[in-house]
Amino acid sequence: MNLGNIIGKGTTKEFKFLVKGEAKKFDFVQVSNDNKKVLSQILEIERDENQIVAYCGVIGYKENEGMVILRSPLEPGADVYLASNELVSEVLGLNKVKGGAFIGSLYGRNDLNVFLDINKLLSKHVSIIAKSGFGKSYTVSVLIEELIDKKVPVVIIDPHGEYSMLKYPNDNNKDLEKLSKLK
């Protein structure tokens, strides 16, 4: 779906476009550049009485086995499209991990599941950082459950009792149905 066209000055890290279609903050968008589909994300949307302008951060494009960042800005006037699930998944590397730890779906894309590579996760230092109330404890509990499902030994030191419910099975049929569809 064509969302609009790039306007004004852009850099290798960012650009803005005049919105003609339906665009929302945090949507992933794509722009063609030298026959490559460049993935970007809408970071802010500004509206005045005459127009709507979206400000985007450039993520990059897929080349061979890695992601590449831009070395020259995108062309003014270039069409901006809503990015396909395939492009988002390919550039962000969401399909690389088979049998990994499922931690949820990508924000705004409920049909794009996010998996973490357990081997990489456990061989490095891990930090989950966010503001209070943004789901750090929930994310850790999901990760712990995934590790337990994969038969990875887990030791939890829990002075605040946040993870004490993990010892009880979830008998909520709706949750179980959702989980069975994902695996």
Side-chain angles (χ1 to χ4, degrees):
M1 171 196 315
N2 188 326
L3 298 177
N5 299 89
I6 294 177
I7 59 171
K9 183 175 94 172
T11 70
T12 58
K13 295 181 186 177
E14 58 193 13
F15 66 91
K16 60 186 175 181
F17 72 93
L18 186 60
V19 177
K20 297 175 186 168
E22 186 74 26
K24 294 186 229 91
K25 188 172 182 173
F26 302 128
D27 276 351
F28 288 99
V29 296
Q30 68 186 52
V31 179
S32 290
N33 186 47
D34 294 331
N35 295 322
K36 294 179 175 40
K37 293 179 183 173
V38 178
L39 182 67
S40 302
Q41 188 175 36
I42 298 175
L43 302 177
E44 193 56 75
I45 298 179
E46 186 177 86
R47 179 192 306 255
D48 66 20
E49 55 277 345
N50 299 321
Q51 62 186 12
I52 300 172
V53 176
Y55 295 83
C56 299
V58 176
I59 297 170
Y61 59 92
K62 180 77 171 182
E63 188 170 85
N64 299 324
E65 291 301 312
M67 187 184 72
V68 179
I69 58 173
L70 289 183
R71 295 180 52 134
S72 60
L74 297 168
E75 292 290 325
D79 291 327
V80 179
Y81 295 94
L82 187 64
S84 67
N85 280 348
E86 293 76 24
L87 180 67
V88 173
S89 185
E90 182 179 275
V91 173
L92 297 181
L94 300 180
N95 286 341
K96 286 185 177 180
V97 184
K98 298 293 183 211
F102 172 71
I103 62 165
S105 58
L106 193 62
Y107 180 77
R109 303 267 179 142
N110 293 335
D111 49 347
L112 265 181
N113 295 327
V114 177
F115 293 86
L116 298 179
D117 186 326
I118 294 173
N119 292 326
K120 288 182 180 179
L121 183 73
L122 297 177
S123 64
K124 304 283 184 191
H125 297 279
V126 176
S127 177
I128 298 174
I129 301 170
K131 291 180 181 180
S132 182
F134 274 65
K136 296 179 298 294
S137 296
Y138 177 77
T139 301
V140 169
S141 66
V142 167
L143 192 52
I144 290 168
E145 288 175 340
E146 284 293 307
L147 292 173
I148 290 169
D149 280 350
K150 306 279 192 253
K151 308 291 188 236
V152 176
V154 177
V155 175
I156 303 170
I157 300 170
D158 184 17
H160 299 289
E162 294 179 88
Y163 305 106
S164 61
M165 295 304 289
L166 288 175
K167 65 183 175 183
Y168 300 109
N170 183 353
D171 294 327
N172 183 333
N173 287 334
K174 288 183 181 179
D175 288 345
L176 295 173
E177 287 173 18
K178 286 182 198 174
L179 185 61
S180 67
K181 289 178 184 176
L182 295 173
K183 293 189 176 187

